[in-house]
Structures are given as C-alpha cells and as structure tokens.
Amino acid sequence: EIVLTQSPDFQSVTPKEKVTITCRASQSIGSNLHWYQQKPGQSPKLLIKYASQPFSGVPSRFSGSGSGTDFTLTINSLEAEDAATYYCHQSSSSPWTFGRGTKVEIK
Amino acid sequence: QLQLQESGPGLVKPSETLSLTCTVSGDSISSSSYFWAWIRQTPGKGLEWIGTIFYSGATYYNPSFKSRVTISVETSKNQFSLKINSVTAADTAVYYCARRGTGYYYMDVWGQGTTVTVSS
C-alpha cells in the first residue's frame, strides 16, 4: 500500500499570504496525485487532478506541482474562504490511499 | 446536475451488518462512463477508499475490507449499496459515496456523507 505523508499537519496563515503544502509518496506514483479541499461538515471537493491540472471551477490561486514521489499544493494569496483541511490522494495503484490532511487556519 | 445521496441507519450494533445505499440523481448509474465508489472517514485513519463498482457489477475492493465488504448495484433504482459485516467500533465513520470516470482516476463528485456509529 502506498503511504502519502503530508506536511505540515497544521498551518495558521494571514489572508493574502502564500500557503505551501507538501505530499510525499512512499513510492513513485507518476502524476497520479490529486488534491481535495474539505470544509467542516462537508464532503471533500476536488481541487487539482493529476498533480497539476486545476479541476473545473477551481480559483486560479490554487495550483499543484510535482511528480514521482514529491508533490506540492500552493495557494497564492490566501482568502478567508480557504480555511479548510487539504488532502492528497493517489490513484496510481490499488488500494487508493489518502494523506492524513493539512489543516489551514486563517489568523 | 449530478447528485449523490447516502442513506441508511445511523446506529449499528457491534457484530451486525452495516448497510448503506447511495442514490444517484441527474445521471444514469448504468452509464459506461463511470464507476461508483465508497469512501469512509474516521478520526483515527482519515479517509479510506473502501471499494468501487461498475454498472455491470464488476467490483474492486480495498484488501483491508475485502473479507467483510460487499458493494452491489441496482440499476433499476439508480442506486448502489455498501454492506460491511461483523462491524466493530472501529467502523464508526462518516461514509461517502462518490463517482469516478472510466477515463480518469479520481473521484470528482461526492455525496454529502452519512455518519454511522457502531455501538450497543
């Protein structure tokens, strides 16, 4: 099973600041890495697919990069509505797995 | 617009069977373009993919669940279902159903989730 390790676990950020979240896979997964945003009481929502492709309707301040084992989600100019937990997810091999999440708090 | 809605008992006794249904609206579950998945979320293990089904009945399970889990599809009702037998407190979770395309390997539409508690 591929393990995804996210860092940091928690980040407290002021609005307009840049946020960087990393996800490291226990083995190479190519670009089969996707990012989700989950707000309290809601289901996860897809932000980035295949490491760097924005999903439909996602604000341009969200971007992704990486391949192989190291991936990054960047939020440029954080807005108050971006307070959420962010998860990475791999679909390179079964069983599909998720990272443990990074909680982003607005200062 | 596609919507997925989970339903089922919110409380299940230990050793019994957890049964949930996902009702699909806004699209046909019989479309050859999609797979249908169950995922759960617990404080302890986070998000876990449980398994996926195609309208034909073909299933793919997480080995961690395989011996206890059955996913089935009822095309006439546009629904698919999850059963987990011999549940314990560790199966207490929010359960989500979701859609995955046959041409892509991520879940793009999720239900709102339903909380299931295992307790006597």
Side-chain angles (χ1 to χ4, degrees):
Chain A
E1 174 175 314
I2 294 175
V3 176
L4 298 178
T5 304
Q6 285 186 237
S7 62
D9 296 333
F10 176 83
Q11 200 164 7
S12 184
V13 187
T14 55
K16 298 188 179 180
E17 216 176 316
K18 179 179 175 179
V19 173
T20 301
I21 299 169
T22 65
C23 178
R24 175 163 288 177
S26 59
Q27 63 189 73
S28 179
I29 57 173
S31 295
N32 295 298
L33 190 284
H34 320 290
W35 291 97
Y36 291 86
Q37 176 195 66
Q38 185 179 34
K39 296 182 180 179
Q42 298 184 15
S43 56
K45 289 181 171 48
L46 183 65
L47 290 177
I48 303 290
K49 54 189 175 79
Y50 295 117
S52 62
Q53 300 174 18
F55 187 58
S56 175
V58 172
S60 58
R61 62 182 180 275
F62 291 93
S63 63
S65 64
S67 67
T69 60
D70 294 303
F71 301 86
T72 300
L73 173 70
T74 301
I75 311 173
N76 282 299
S77 192
L78 187 80
E79 297 191 6
E81 66 184 31
D82 300 333
T85 301
Y86 294 84
Y87 295 93
C88 56
H89 161 55
Q90 70 82 21
S91 59
S92 175
S93 69
S94 184
W96 289 5
T97 52
F98 294 82
R100 294 306 306 269
T102 295
K103 186 173 183 178
V104 174
E105 175 194 83
I106 309 298
K107 279 183 185 174
Chain B
Q1 183 180 347
L2 179 74
Q3 288 189 314
L4 307 177
Q5 178 68 58
E6 306 88 348
S7 60
L11 180 64
V12 181
K13 290 183 169 53
S15 80
E16 294 190 346
T17 297
L18 180 159
S19 296
L20 296 174
T21 296
C22 181
T23 300
V24 178
S25 58
D27 202 348
S28 172
I29 203 169
S30 299
S31 169
S32 59
S33 299
Y34 303 112
F35 288 86
W36 307 94
W38 286 100
I39 303 102
R40 75 179 186 183
Q41 186 169 31
T42 64
K45 289 193 171 184
L47 289 161
E48 292 181 281
W49 169 70
I50 301 171
T52 300
I53 191 164
F54 194 52
Y55 78 96
S56 62
T59 51
Y60 310 85
Y61 295 124
N62 186 328
S64 300
F65 296 92
K66 189 170 184 178
S67 62
R68 297 194 298 135
V69 164
T70 302
I71 297 175
S72 59
V73 64
E74 189 154 2
T75 54
S76 62
K77 294 184 179 180
N78 228 35
Q79 295 176 334
F80 63 108
S81 299
L82 170 70
K83 291 187 189 300
I84 304 177
N85 57 39
S86 305
V87 297
T88 70
D91 294 306
T92 294
V94 178
Y95 287 80
Y96 296 100
C97 57
R99 182 186 80 173
R100 188 215 114 182
T102 53
Y104 53 87
Y105 293 79
Y106 51 83
M107 278 75 72
D108 61 344
V109 181
W110 296 57
Q112 66 184 26
T114 188
T115 300
V116 178
T117 301
V118 178
S119 175
S120 55

